[in-house]
Amino acid sequence: GVRDGLGAYIDKPEKYPPSVVVYHNEDFVAIYDMFPKSSLHLLLLPRDQTKTRLHPFDAFEDAEFLDKVKAEAGKLCSLAAGELRRKYGKDSAQEQARQAALSADPPPDELPQGRDWEQEIVVGVHAVPSMNHLHIHVLSVDRYSDRLKHRKHYNSFSTPFFVPIDDFPLGPNDERRRPTAEGYLKRDFACWRCGKVFGNRFTELKQHLEQEFADWKRV
Ligand code: 5GP
Ligand code: ZN
């Protein structure tokens, strides 16, 4: 069924072009999310046959496996940061300051750092995944995408429904383990960037996200 759609990438990653499969190795496949909920949205798919059908909370109980996933997710996050720099670097005030310093004659002894794009990426899983194969989301923080069409799309990345990979291992009584975790999706919308609350006004939220996206690129 449709919930098994990620299995094909795990089985035959070599079949796909680089616009679909970012890279693959023996243990992982990294892909572009087909319905991105941010301007950059990747998925990391572990290939371990003993894990791929498990809920992430269960799969990540294995400390050795969790470490491996964290390490690979870190690599994908660096790669994603590079992609953000290529896409938005020219818009960013920090990057512009760095470029200006570089082209000064003579260049200053200490260059401005430029923007740390890894800070602009989140990595985690959904408390209640919709797709069956174990997958880790790696996405830019902007939540700016045509494919973000439903309230649950926004809240699934903007409430405790999204569980950052660094929060694992979860404590036994962590509230995100509860079967009621789907309740997070019904929360009022709050802007990821400024915290402004929009109740259930999705159109207003979307307009605001567009403005925040433009400002975020320029920081
Ligand atoms: P979940 O809600 O299960 O954590 O996220 C599943 C993700 O898989 C969603 O972000 C969805 O857009 C993505 N997705 C669903 N089907 C496909 C597919 O066939 N190919 C790719 N590349 N992504 C998919
Ligand atoms: Zn805002």
Side-chain angles (χ1 to χ4, degrees), residues 1 69 83 85 117 136 170:
V69 169
E83 191 156 333
R85 174 168 290 112
W117 289 98
I136 297 93
L170 289 187

mmCIF file with all atom_site columns, all heavy atoms in Angstrom, residues 1 69 83 85 117 136 170:
data_model
loop_
_atom_site.group_PDB
_atom_site.id
_atom_site.type_symbol
_atom_site.label_atom_id
_atom_site.label_alt_id
_atom_site.label_comp_id
_atom_site.label_asym_id
_atom_site.label_entity_id
_atom_site.label_seq_id
_atom_site.pdbx_PDB_ins_code
_atom_site.Cartn_x
_atom_site.Cartn_y
_atom_site.Cartn_z
_atom_site.occupancy
_atom_site.B_iso_or_equiv
_atom_site.pdbx_formal_charge
_atom_site.auth_seq_id
_atom_site.auth_comp_id
_atom_site.auth_asym_id
_atom_site.auth_atom_id
_atom_site.pdbx_PDB_model_num
ATOM 1  N N   . GLY A 1 1   ? 0.823  -1.220 0.000  1.00 0.00 ? 1   GLY A N   1
ATOM 2  C CA  . GLY A 1 1   ? 0.000  0.000  0.000  1.00 0.00 ? 1   GLY A CA  1
ATOM 3  C C   . GLY A 1 1   ? 0.849  1.260  0.000  1.00 0.00 ? 1   GLY A C   1
ATOM 4  O O   . GLY A 1 1   ? 2.084  1.158  -0.021 1.00 0.00 ? 1   GLY A O   1
ATOM 5  N N   . VAL A 1 69  ? 22.720 6.017  13.607 1.00 0.00 ? 69  VAL A N   1
ATOM 6  C CA  . VAL A 1 69  ? 21.738 6.892  12.950 1.00 0.00 ? 69  VAL A CA  1
ATOM 7  C C   . VAL A 1 69  ? 22.099 8.357  13.211 1.00 0.00 ? 69  VAL A C   1
ATOM 8  O O   . VAL A 1 69  ? 22.062 9.188  12.306 1.00 0.00 ? 69  VAL A O   1
ATOM 9  C CB  . VAL A 1 69  ? 20.299 6.575  13.422 1.00 0.00 ? 69  VAL A CB  1
ATOM 10 C CG1 . VAL A 1 69  ? 19.325 7.639  12.954 1.00 0.00 ? 69  VAL A CG1 1
ATOM 11 C CG2 . VAL A 1 69  ? 19.868 5.199  12.923 1.00 0.00 ? 69  VAL A CG2 1
ATOM 12 N N   . GLU A 1 83  ? 23.761 22.740 0.933  1.00 0.00 ? 83  GLU A N   1
ATOM 13 C CA  . GLU A 1 83  ? 22.733 23.050 -0.063 1.00 0.00 ? 83  GLU A CA  1
ATOM 14 C C   . GLU A 1 83  ? 22.033 24.376 0.270  1.00 0.00 ? 83  GLU A C   1
ATOM 15 O O   . GLU A 1 83  ? 21.757 25.181 -0.629 1.00 0.00 ? 83  GLU A O   1
ATOM 16 C CB  . GLU A 1 83  ? 21.721 21.889 -0.148 1.00 0.00 ? 83  GLU A CB  1
ATOM 17 C CG  . GLU A 1 83  ? 20.792 22.035 -1.337 1.00 0.00 ? 83  GLU A CG  1
ATOM 18 C CD  . GLU A 1 83  ? 20.188 20.726 -1.823 1.00 0.00 ? 83  GLU A CD  1
ATOM 19 O OE1 . GLU A 1 83  ? 20.803 19.651 -1.631 1.00 0.00 ? 83  GLU A OE1 1
ATOM 20 O OE2 . GLU A 1 83  ? 19.073 20.779 -2.385 1.00 0.00 ? 83  GLU A OE2 1
ATOM 21 N N   . ARG A 1 85  ? 23.393 26.862 1.867  1.00 0.00 ? 85  ARG A N   1
ATOM 22 C CA  . ARG A 1 85  ? 24.357 27.931 1.569  1.00 0.00 ? 85  ARG A CA  1
ATOM 23 C C   . ARG A 1 85  ? 24.347 28.257 0.077  1.00 0.00 ? 85  ARG A C   1
ATOM 24 O O   . ARG A 1 85  ? 24.342 29.425 -0.302 1.00 0.00 ? 85  ARG A O   1
ATOM 25 C CB  . ARG A 1 85  ? 25.767 27.514 2.026  1.00 0.00 ? 85  ARG A CB  1
ATOM 26 C CG  . ARG A 1 85  ? 26.854 28.522 1.611  1.00 0.00 ? 85  ARG A CG  1
ATOM 27 C CD  . ARG A 1 85  ? 28.181 28.274 2.291  1.00 0.00 ? 85  ARG A CD  1
ATOM 28 N NE  . ARG A 1 85  ? 28.100 28.603 3.704  1.00 0.00 ? 85  ARG A NE  1
ATOM 29 C CZ  . ARG A 1 85  ? 28.174 27.728 4.694  1.00 0.00 ? 85  ARG A CZ  1
ATOM 30 N NH1 . ARG A 1 85  ? 28.363 26.460 4.434  1.00 0.00 ? 85  ARG A NH1 1
ATOM 31 N NH2 . ARG A 1 85  ? 28.078 28.126 5.940  1.00 0.00 ? 85  ARG A NH2 1
ATOM 32 N N   . TRP A 1 117 ? 24.799 27.443 8.623  1.00 0.00 ? 117 TRP A N   1
ATOM 33 C CA  . TRP A 1 117 ? 23.525 26.926 8.085  1.00 0.00 ? 117 TRP A CA  1
ATOM 34 C C   . TRP A 1 117 ? 23.075 25.650 8.769  1.00 0.00 ? 117 TRP A C   1
ATOM 35 O O   . TRP A 1 117 ? 21.901 25.285 8.701  1.00 0.00 ? 117 TRP A O   1
ATOM 36 C CB  . TRP A 1 117 ? 23.633 26.742 6.566  1.00 0.00 ? 117 TRP A CB  1
ATOM 37 C CG  . TRP A 1 117 ? 23.678 28.057 5.842  1.00 0.00 ? 117 TRP A CG  1
ATOM 38 C CD1 . TRP A 1 117 ? 24.784 28.702 5.383  1.00 0.00 ? 117 TRP A CD1 1
ATOM 39 C CD2 . TRP A 1 117 ? 22.562 28.908 5.513  1.00 0.00 ? 117 TRP A CD2 1
ATOM 40 N NE1 . TRP A 1 117 ? 24.436 29.894 4.786  1.00 0.00 ? 117 TRP A NE1 1
ATOM 41 C CE2 . TRP A 1 117 ? 23.073 30.043 4.856  1.00 0.00 ? 117 TRP A CE2 1
ATOM 42 C CE3 . TRP A 1 117 ? 21.178 28.805 5.714  1.00 0.00 ? 117 TRP A CE3 1
ATOM 43 C CZ2 . TRP A 1 117 ? 22.265 31.078 4.387  1.00 0.00 ? 117 TRP A CZ2 1
ATOM 44 C CZ3 . TRP A 1 117 ? 20.371 29.828 5.251  1.00 0.00 ? 117 TRP A CZ3 1
ATOM 45 C CH2 . TRP A 1 117 ? 20.905 30.951 4.603  1.00 0.00 ? 117 TRP A CH2 1
ATOM 46 N N   . ILE A 1 136 ? 14.046 9.256  9.033  1.00 0.00 ? 136 ILE A N   1
ATOM 47 C CA  . ILE A 1 136 ? 14.380 10.414 9.863  1.00 0.00 ? 136 ILE A CA  1
ATOM 48 C C   . ILE A 1 136 ? 14.298 11.652 8.969  1.00 0.00 ? 136 ILE A C   1
ATOM 49 O O   . ILE A 1 136 ? 14.895 11.682 7.889  1.00 0.00 ? 136 ILE A O   1
ATOM 50 C CB  . ILE A 1 136 ? 15.805 10.273 10.462 1.00 0.00 ? 136 ILE A CB  1
ATOM 51 C CG1 . ILE A 1 136 ? 15.861 9.048  11.388 1.00 0.00 ? 136 ILE A CG1 1
ATOM 52 C CG2 . ILE A 1 136 ? 16.200 11.525 11.242 1.00 0.00 ? 136 ILE A CG2 1
ATOM 53 C CD1 . ILE A 1 136 ? 16.324 7.772  10.732 1.00 0.00 ? 136 ILE A CD1 1
ATOM 54 N N   . LEU A 1 170 ? 14.658 8.318  24.656 1.00 0.00 ? 170 LEU A N   1
ATOM 55 C CA  . LEU A 1 170 ? 13.566 8.941  25.412 1.00 0.00 ? 170 LEU A CA  1
ATOM 56 C C   . LEU A 1 170 ? 13.428 8.258  26.771 1.00 0.00 ? 170 LEU A C   1
ATOM 57 O O   . LEU A 1 170 ? 13.622 7.047  26.870 1.00 0.00 ? 170 LEU A O   1
ATOM 58 C CB  . LEU A 1 170 ? 12.237 8.758  24.669 1.00 0.00 ? 170 LEU A CB  1
ATOM 59 C CG  . LEU A 1 170 ? 11.962 9.523  23.384 1.00 0.00 ? 170 LEU A CG  1
ATOM 60 C CD1 . LEU A 1 170 ? 10.504 9.287  22.973 1.00 0.00 ? 170 LEU A CD1 1
ATOM 61 C CD2 . LEU A 1 170 ? 12.237 11.012 23.530 1.00 0.00 ? 170 LEU A CD2 1
#
